[in-house]
């Protein structure tokens, strides 16, 4: 345990930097072996030093969930940025401003209306926007199904309208609901096949569709081959979390984000240990609720990070977390977890928990702790 | 609808300032009529102009959920601040620093261990901390039950240790689970009675217990009398939200916080309208899930704020919200909710949704919109 951990006020979000670096290496090596580029989704960390570590390990460009992330990363020297949320026409002026400064920003559409809005705005401002088309490979959210008649129309609208069609992209978000290697491999293949097929449809119509971008952390780590794919986007692998642990794509010692908390009270009759990490620190994300193992609001570890079996954050108010033990017999909670003692909580969902904090405390193997700021808002 | 609403980027958190002012007046007048001070809990807004409006309306001091809120408010001229989370011994240096600067900061304990830590630290630094004792009136979280043998011991430890015992406090947090006037009135009386009885126990032991502080928004608005109580703490009333609407303590036209969002896509076959307000904007709070009416992630309104019956945000990814209609028949969602059109979403829980934003856009009756910054983190 780094000596300087004791100097941190709680609650605080800790990054285990060696674990994070191993996670980055693991995904990069896998993508290298599969012969595709990795374009990490930075919505998980929203933190420049983390993104820089991903780029240093070999990432080709980044994916963002907000234009604020794009602005921040471009201001810090990152050029190739894919804003992977269907473009709201009202945000086009912001996108234009970024491109005019030299950012290689690319946009996403999944409707003729949005494609036409990009074409109209681009034409009006003499800007050749770079645009992707979103494909729906698993019915979980946005995108066009491969057989959608408007797929080729959208591609043609963009091309004829003078925009640059980057290619097609999809995200198998339903992978979060799976938990066997067989199901994950099948979905990874479904994701790949849908996106490659969509690209083929566009190409068969005589249009260029240079890139095929897929990805989610579970499918990226499960795909057996990625023929026809040019790049993979994945985000949460950088920290992993309990949801990913339940999905089965990471081990407990790969979980790189935790919340350091202080014990502030007990309800001895009920076996409750009360901490200063409530839902404001952990977020309200209950992503493990319907998974094979429900971790409540998080798995409890010692201050040093060792998993305490059966100890979970089962209740949360704004600034109060309630820890209970699966086997409370023979444990005097007031002496085992005295007031003022510290624990770490592993979160269900790293993207949601990180967002509750303005910064991370990044713990190096040497024990050194650095403060890494994090983007908040839009 | 203020003309300048169109200039805002989405998602953005809107405060309807006239509604907020009416909510503030309503609670203040009720507390005045009941003959108690109001010490609003600012954890809902974490926003100085909101807090200043509460003070201007007659509030006596404030309640905070973090020392960061205390530091920020004290730096802006607010003196009387109650940090109403059981004191972690490690935070005492921060509390001392505030008091040394002249802040009338008061602290909370609910254990002998914490009381002793305050006494030891206060003695060591020659500081007479002002301290409350937390009472558990409904078993929902922290605090000592009235009959707890250590209640008087804690009071004596503080007094004998040279600290100033402010009094006793409780919070009937279980009021959020109720939804009838009868049950709310009964819990309000239970809350009052428990806290007054605890004060009596301390006084009967020959110790001073000047103040009796209770409160939650539902019980504050339901109490029939507050004999023996000196002050009420309540927070969410300033904005109200769908949880409070289900509890039955506010009407739809008192909901003062909403999230403005843009339609970015459709899945026509499924009747999905996809927006740029996902869980990152709304929070993951599903507080209405077990209430009489489940609003999903929020109730959908027109851009002007008019409730669209049966339209709810039923799904949420990080930056995607999925709106569905209860009666989708005969609605062409692509023309009724076209891409680029805007909607407002009323949140389940104002405290959680507000926390997702670095600032609010405060809409005055005149149409003027001001940016009010909001605290984030600890």
């Amino acid at each position: 345990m780094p000596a300087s951990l004791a100097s941190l006020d709680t609650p605080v979000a800790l990054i285990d930097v060696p674990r994070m670096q191993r996670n980055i290496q693991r995904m990069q090596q896998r993508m290298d072996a599969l012969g595709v580029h990795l374009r990490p989704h930075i919505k998980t960390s929203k933190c420049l030093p983390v993104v820089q570590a991903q780029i240093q390990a070999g990432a080709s460009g980044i994916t963002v969930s907000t234009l604020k992330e794009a602005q921040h990363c471009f201001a810090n020297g990152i050029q190739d940025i894919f804003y992977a949320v269907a473009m709201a026409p009202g945000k086009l002026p912001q996108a234009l401003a970024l491109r005019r400064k030299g950012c290689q920003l690319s946009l996403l559409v999944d409707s003729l209306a949005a494609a036409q809005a990009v074409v109209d705005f681009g034409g009006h401002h003499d800007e050749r926007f770079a645009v992707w088309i979103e494909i729906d490979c698993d019915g979980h959210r946005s995108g066009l199904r491969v057989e959608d008649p408007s797929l080729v129309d959208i591609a043609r609208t963009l091309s004829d309208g003078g925009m640059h069609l980057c290619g097609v992209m999809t995200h198998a978000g339903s992978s979060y609901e799976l938990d066997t290697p067989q199901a994950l491999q099948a979905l990874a293949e479904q994701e790949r096949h849908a996106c490659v097929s969509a690209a083929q449809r566009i190409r068969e119509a005589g249009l260029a569709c240079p890139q095929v971008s897929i990805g989610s952390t579970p499918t990226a780590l499960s795909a057996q081959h990625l023929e026809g794919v040019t790049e993979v986007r994945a985000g949460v692998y950088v920290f992993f979390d309990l949801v990913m642990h339940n999905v089965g794509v990471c081990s407990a010692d790969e979980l790189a984000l935790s919340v350091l908390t202080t014990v502030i009270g007990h309800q001895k009759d009920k076996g409750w240990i009360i901490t200063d990490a409530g839902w404001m620190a952990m977020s309200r994300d209950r992503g493990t609720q319907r998974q094979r193992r429900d971790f409540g609001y998080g798995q409890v570890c010692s201050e040093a990070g060792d998993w305490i079996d059966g100890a979970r954050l089962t209740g949360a108010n704004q600034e109060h977390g309630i820890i209970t033990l699966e086997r409370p017999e023979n444990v005097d909670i007031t002496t085992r977890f005295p007031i003022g003692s510290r624990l770490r909580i592993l979160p269900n969902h790293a993207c949601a928990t990180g967002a509750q904090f303005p910064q991370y405390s990044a713990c190096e193997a040497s024990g050194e702790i650095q403060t890494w700021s994090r983007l908040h808002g839009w």
Side-chain angles (χ1 to χ4, degrees), chain A:
Chain A
M1 190 180 62
S4 42
L5 211 56
S7 66
L8 298 177
D9 187 26
T10 59
V12 65
L14 302 180
I15 296 175
D16 183 320
V17 176
R19 285 187 182 187
M20 178 192 89
Q21 291 286 12
R22 283 197 298 273
N23 296 342
I24 291 172
Q25 289 300 331
R26 178 183 165 199
M27 184 63 85
Q28 187 65 52
Q29 284 166 6
R30 190 170 173 88
M31 295 306 104
D32 292 348
L34 288 165
V36 294
H37 291 294
L38 173 62
R39 182 192 284 280
H41 206 316
I42 71 157
K43 77 186 182 76
T44 301
S45 74
K46 298 202 184 203
C47 174
L48 196 65
V50 176
V51 178
Q52 286 166 335
Q54 291 171 303
I55 290 173
Q56 200 164 6
S60 305
I62 61 169
T63 314
V64 298
S65 67
T66 63
L67 287 173
K68 188 171 187 170
E69 292 159 51
Q71 288 151 358
H72 180 69
C73 288
F74 177 66
N76 285 281
I78 299 168
Q79 305 281 333
D80 180 1
I81 303 177
F82 176 14
Y83 171 46
V85 177
M87 195 64 193
K91 297 188 205 294
L92 282 165
Q94 287 180 67
L96 179 67
L98 269 169
R99 286 184 61 89
R100 287 284 155 90
K101 288 180 193 158
C103 179
Q104 296 160 37
L105 180 73
S106 54
L107 309 178
L108 182 64
V109 300
D110 72 348
S111 66
L112 261 174
Q116 194 61 55
V118 173
V119 164
D120 292 348
F121 186 88
H124 187 73
H125 293 277
D126 201 22
E127 179 67 35
R128 187 172 187 240
F129 283 108
V131 189
W132 300 79
I133 301 175
E134 185 169 9
I135 306 303
D136 178 8
C137 66
D138 62 356
H140 88 286
R141 190 171 71 196
S142 311
L144 300 154
R145 274 184 280 173
V146 177
E147 65 278 12
D148 193 306
S150 61
L151 172 62
V152 173
D153 295 343
I154 292 170
R156 201 179 306 280
T157 297
L158 292 167
S159 292
D160 290 357
M163 301 298 113
H164 170 64
L165 178 60
C166 301
V168 287
M169 71 83 87
T170 196
H171 166 59
S174 63
S175 60
Y176 282 44
E177 295 154 23
L178 307 178
D179 61 5
T180 66
Q182 294 74 20
L184 288 164
Q185 286 171 23
L187 184 60
E189 175 54 18
Q190 178 180 324
E191 182 184 37
R192 182 201 71 81
H193 185 259
C195 212
V196 170
S197 304
Q200 278 168 344
R201 279 200 60 206
I202 293 170
R203 289 167 188 153
E204 283 161 10
L207 297 164
C209 182
Q211 294 190 73
V212 176
S213 174
I214 66 162
S216 78
T217 287
T219 52
L221 293 172
S222 304
Q224 299 301 292
H225 75 91
L226 290 177
E227 207 182 312
V229 170
T230 59
E231 69 170 30
V232 166
R233 307 174 327 282
V236 76
Y237 76 88
V238 73
F239 294 151
F240 286 120
D241 54 28
L242 293 170
V243 165
M244 288 298 113
H245 188 58
N246 270 333
V247 169
V249 292
C250 66
S251 60
D253 65 3
E254 290 178 309
L255 303 180
L257 181 70
S258 62
V259 173
L260 185 67
T261 185
T262 302
V263 174
I264 59 169
H266 305 93
Q267 290 289 20
K268 212 171 166 179
D269 298 353
K270 300 174 184 163
W272 290 0
I273 303 140
I274 299 179
T275 76
D276 68 355
W279 61 251
M280 187 61 84
M282 301 309 302
S283 89
R284 271 291 194 197
D285 199 296
R286 289 282 288 103
T288 59
Q289 191 167 21
R290 276 177 296 274
Q291 289 188 305
R292 64 167 80 187
R293 191 163 171 191
D294 182 353
F295 287 96
Y297 287 92
Q299 168 65 37
V300 179
C301 302
S302 70
E303 183 174 13
D306 298 315
W307 199 296
I308 302 174
D309 268 335
R312 292 171 304 143
L313 197 69
T314 45
N317 292 159
Q318 186 160 340
E319 297 291 345
H320 296 79
I322 299 174
I323 293 172
T324 55
L325 307 178
E326 236 167 57
R327 287 171 299 279
E329 309 82 24
N330 307 323
V331 179
D332 177 353
I333 56 170
T334 59
T335 54
R336 172 73 182 78
F337 302 99
I339 286 178
S341 63
R342 291 177 168 213
L343 298 164
R344 284 199 207 192
I345 319 286
L346 298 169
N348 286 323
H349 189 177
C351 311
T353 300
Q356 303 301 106
F357 292 86
Q359 71 273 318
Y360 302 104
S361 290
C363 310
E364 304 280 353
S366 64
E368 192 195 347
I369 296 182
Q370 292 183 67
T371 300
W372 290 353
S373 70
R374 194 188 183 289
L375 288 182
H376 185 221
W378 291 266

